[in-house]
Amino acid sequence: MTDATDLEFSPDLRLSLLADAGDKATRARQFCLDVIKEFYGFDYRRDWHGDLDSLLLPPAGNHFTSLHRGAFWIVENRQGEIVATTGIRHLGWKPNCAALFSNRYGDGTDIASLWRQYVRKDMRGGGLGKKLAALCESEALSRGYERMYLHASSHALATVGFWKSRGYVAIADDGETIHFDKPLTHHLLQAATA
């Protein structure tokens, strides 16, 4: 597993694996909600953001803990401000998505899913998102997953383009949401991080 010392972004940034429901979890949740509001224009909805609420729970209820083959990372600058987040969890934590693709994924518990990869506006375009995506893929593979699912707004063209450039293939598009997946193999991950 990767910790803050295994992956260097720059001397000014520090990667941390969110390990408990303390202050950093509260700040990470708020960072995600702030980016959602800024980028998509909508406020907190329990049915859409329950995974963020789970960051504040003990490990048994937290979607992103190693107990559940998940992880959640934050990137902070020298001032301790969160500038990026990303996380993985099994798709079974999102029952509506698991049901939508049950013919493809079964109950979803054996499929990694990438969530809450957000980079603060002033930090975008410098490769941080690519490094976080590679981290999630590598960590999902190390947790025994062989495939990664994610979805993005159909209207977020830069986001859609980013995921396509990372090797994700659209498996469904309802006009509002594009659903992607990607096989995870050591060979593909080595090429992606080279």
Side-chain angles (χ1 to χ4, degrees):
M1 307 300 165
T2 302
D3 67 20
T5 61
D6 292 332
L7 190 61
E8 289 291 326
F9 291 117
S10 81
D12 296 324
L13 300 177
R14 175 176 161 74
L15 174 74
S16 299
L17 180 63
L18 203 57
D20 58 46
D23 176 61
K24 282 191 179 186
T26 300
R27 292 188 309 113
R29 179 183 177 277
Q30 190 59 54
F31 172 83
C32 292
L33 291 172
D34 290 345
V35 173
I36 291 166
K37 177 69 172 178
E38 173 232 329
F39 196 77
Y40 298 105
F42 50 81
D43 293 310
Y44 170 84
R45 283 186 49 173
R46 186 176 184 173
D47 57 331
W48 290 354
H49 306 118
D51 62 308
L52 293 174
D53 293 339
S54 87
L55 292 173
L56 307 179
L57 299 174
N62 184 331
H63 301 191
F64 296 100
T65 62
S66 59
L67 177 68
H68 300 297
R69 293 173 61 203
F72 196 91
W73 295 271
I74 60 171
V75 178
E76 295 173 288
N77 63 17
R78 286 182 185 227
Q79 293 75 38
E81 300 167 324
I82 296 175
V83 299
T85 59
T86 195
I88 57 172
R89 62 185 181 152
H90 67 70
L91 189 58
W93 284 109
K94 189 73 171 173
N96 62 333
C97 287
L100 185 62
F101 298 106
S102 62
N103 289 344
R104 184 181 190 96
Y105 299 141
D107 68 0
T109 57
D110 288 326
I111 302 299
S113 57
L114 194 150
W115 296 90
R116 308 306 177 192
Q117 182 160 316
Y118 300 129
V119 177
R120 198 171 73 182
K121 192 174 192 174
D122 63 325
M123 300 293 291
R124 295 177 194 153
L128 185 54
K130 289 179 183 177
K131 289 178 181 180
L132 291 173
L135 169 67
C136 286
E137 292 166 3
S138 175
E139 288 298 311
L141 192 60
S142 76
R143 285 169 167 75
Y145 295 110
E146 295 179 0
R147 184 165 294 281
M148 181 80 81
Y149 163 91
L150 63 88
H151 65 253
S153 168
S154 301
H155 308 293
L157 299 180
T159 302
V160 169
F162 172 80
W163 291 116
K164 286 181 177 180
S165 78
R166 302 293 308 155
Y168 286 84
V169 176
I171 57 172
D173 182 350
D174 64 12
E176 292 294 320
T177 303
I178 299 177
H179 302 268
F180 293 95
D181 86 352
K182 176 181 180 178
L184 300 175
T185 66
H186 291 287
H187 172 73
L188 287 175
L189 292 178
Q190 288 170 351
T193 57

